[in-house]
């Protein structure tokens, strides 16, 4: 594969997927600046591996996995840089109300990284259990159990307010 | 909250996240720089075809190659430190004879191999009589997603790797490692012989 073709294909991919990858990273780490770091790192790795990945027709999966792994590599920092300020900054553009958004961020923040990854892959990317398992290198049973556990935790955080009729 | 409700909520949340303006040019520059660094590292002593004596590593990912290629090489039994010494010594012998096409670039750097060696040494104790290394075209093709009956499998932490996974049964250990889209499969046996069974890669007597 020539450099010109590689560059053209890579640039086209970035144009079509960058926002989604950034949002994926943002949902995982809760910090837009870290998300940008993660995406930049993932895309640089993708460029290096482009001929192989392109040939295998697995560009999306590779990019997604790179984001997930970059998040994990950076995982020691977790959610320590909290996102309250960012939530306030972007509240106006958020289709969710500020309260809903805040509650959901709080719920996501309380999920272990593994469950958060499953939630993002299944409920943001819309991957099946099997596809999610393939991305994460785990069994479908693990994905199912993590999905179930994540839902239970989210219910714990989100449902009580709904049950009381409060608008969150 | 149902799964459908969660999906809706996640999408609404994501749609509200401000993403920076697309910077494809910047991504291209960073990608090229990473590729240059990688090639520089390779020129400094990276392997294409690994461990000597009919070794097992092939970075030439031809479409016709089997999912996991390579003939195993035997190392002398010894303490785990011997494994590190042996790997590093052999890696230094390796040069990249074919770098005319980017697709033929070696699949792994010496630094990455050392990190993998660290993981092996940390995990495997006791005498080591057998080592083979293979490559696979993909994680799925390596078989590392599955765990055959009789094996214990778990995710492994290998610095710099995209992902890694252990399989263990008796004296046999396997480590599958994906680095920049290349999958390497290490098979070690405490006994001084080729394992009769392996979890991944299909190495058979």
């Amino acid at each position: 594969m020539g450099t010109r073709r590689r560059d053209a294909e890579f640039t086209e991919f970035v144009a079509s997927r960058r926002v989604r990858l950034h949002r994926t990273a943002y949902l995982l780490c809760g910090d837009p600046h870290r998300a940008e770091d993660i995406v930049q790192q993932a895309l640089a790795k993708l460029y290096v591996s482009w001929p192989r990945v392109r040939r295998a027709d697995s560009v999306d999966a590779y990019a997604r996995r790179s984001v997930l792994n970059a998040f994990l590599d950076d995982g020691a920092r977790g959610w320590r840089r909290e996102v309250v300020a960012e939530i306030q900054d972007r509240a106006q553009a958020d289709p969710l109300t500020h309260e809903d958004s805040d509650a959901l961020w709080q719920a996501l923040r309380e999920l272990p990284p593994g469950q958060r990854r499953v939630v993002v892959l299944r409920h943001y990317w819309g991957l099946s259990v099997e596809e999610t398992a393939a991305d994460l290198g785990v069994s479908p049973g693990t994905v199912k159990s993590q999905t179930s556990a994540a839902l239970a935790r989210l219910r714990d955080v989100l449902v009580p307010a709904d049950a009381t009729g409060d608008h969150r | 909250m149902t799964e459908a409700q969660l999906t809706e909520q996640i999408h609404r949340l994501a749609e509200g996240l401000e993403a920076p303006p697309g910077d494809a040019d910047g991504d291209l520059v960073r990608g090229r720089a990473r590729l240059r660094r990688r090639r520089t590292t390779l020129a400094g002593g990276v392997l294409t075809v690994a461990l000597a004596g009919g070794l097992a590593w092939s970075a030439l990912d031809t479409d016709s190659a089997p999912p996991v290629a390579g003939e195993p090489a035997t190392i002398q039994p010894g303490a785990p430190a011997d494994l590190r010494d042996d790997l590093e010594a052999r890696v230094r012998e390796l040069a990249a004879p074919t770098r005319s096409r980017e697709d033929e670039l070696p699949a792994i750097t010496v630094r990455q191999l050392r990190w993998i060696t660290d993981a092996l040494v940390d995990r495997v104790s006791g005498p080591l009589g057998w080592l083979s290394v293979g490559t696979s075209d993909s994680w799925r093709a390596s078989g590392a997603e599955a765990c055959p009956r009789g094996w214990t499998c778990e995710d492994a932490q290998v610095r710099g790797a995209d992902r890694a996974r252990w399989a263990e049964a008796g004296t046999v250990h396997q480590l599958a490692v994906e680095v920049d889209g290349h999958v390497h499969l290490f098979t070690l046996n405490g006994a001084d012989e080729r394992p009769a069974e392996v979890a991944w890669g299909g190495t058979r007597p």
Side-chain angles (χ1 to χ4, degrees), chain A:
Chain A
M1 176 182 284
T3 300
R4 194 175 304 173
R5 182 177 163 199
R6 178 197 202 127
D7 289 359
E9 290 181 355
F10 176 78
T11 302
E12 183 181 352
F13 175 82
V14 170
S16 66
R17 292 290 194 276
R18 201 180 201 290
V19 169
R20 194 170 197 199
L21 291 171
H22 186 274
R23 286 173 172 164
T24 299
Y26 198 156
L27 288 171
L28 287 168
C29 71
D31 181 321
H33 305 296
R34 280 179 62 194
E36 179 60 18
D37 290 345
I38 286 171
V39 170
Q40 287 185 10
Q41 184 181 337
L43 289 175
K45 291 181 75 173
L46 175 63
Y47 181 84
V48 171
S49 299
W50 186 265
R52 170 186 290 265
V53 174
R54 174 74 175 75
R55 198 165 53 239
D57 198 22
S58 60
V59 180
D60 268 332
Y62 185 90
R64 220 166 39 225
R65 286 201 303 264
S66 293
V67 166
L68 291 169
N69 289 324
F71 162 64
L72 281 184
D73 288 346
D74 201 33
R77 287 195 283 161
W79 282 65
R80 269 177 269 166
R81 263 196 276 162
E82 300 295 354
V83 295
V84 174
E86 299 298 337
I87 290 170
Q88 290 168 346
D89 289 346
R90 58 176 171 66
Q92 200 169 10
D94 194 333
L96 291 175
T97 65
H98 181 280
E99 291 76 13
D100 284 341
S101 170
D102 203 13
L104 189 50
W105 275 116
Q106 178 65 29
L108 286 172
R109 185 182 302 137
E110 292 182 4
L111 292 180
Q115 291 178 20
R116 208 179 309 144
R117 284 188 298 163
V118 168
V119 165
V120 171
L121 288 179
R122 296 219 54 212
H123 298 283
Y124 181 53
W125 278 88
L127 301 187
S128 67
V129 168
E130 290 73 21
E131 290 167 333
T132 303
D135 260 27
L136 297 177
V138 300
S139 70
T142 299
V143 172
K144 288 178 184 174
S145 63
Q146 290 198 329
T147 301
S148 176
L151 276 169
R153 281 173 175 260
L154 291 173
R155 284 190 194 104
D156 285 345
V157 175
L158 297 174
V159 167
D162 294 340
T164 61
D166 290 347
H167 178 67
R168 291 180 60 105

Side-chain angles (χ1 to χ4, degrees), chain A residues 52, chain B residues 47-50 55-62 65 69-70 107 133-136:
Chain A
R52 170 186 290 265
Chain B
L47 56 106
T48 45
V49 182
L55 277 224
W57 238 325
S58 172
L60 305 179
D61 54 336
T62 58
V133 190
T135 61
S136 177

Side-chain angles (χ1 to χ4, degrees), chain B residues 76-116:
Chain B
Q76 294 299 314
D82 292 341
L83 172 65
R84 183 195 305 273
D85 293 344
D86 189 77
L87 281 171
E88 292 186 353
R90 288 169 187 263
V91 165
R92 281 196 294 272
E93 298 171 3
L94 301 168
T98 55
R99 286 202 287 263
S100 58
R101 293 193 303 120
E102 61 190 21
D103 288 1
E104 293 178 346
L105 283 169
I108 198 168
T109 63
V110 172
R111 174 183 297 174
Q112 181 64 61
L113 184 64
R114 285 181 178 148
W115 288 339
I116 292 172

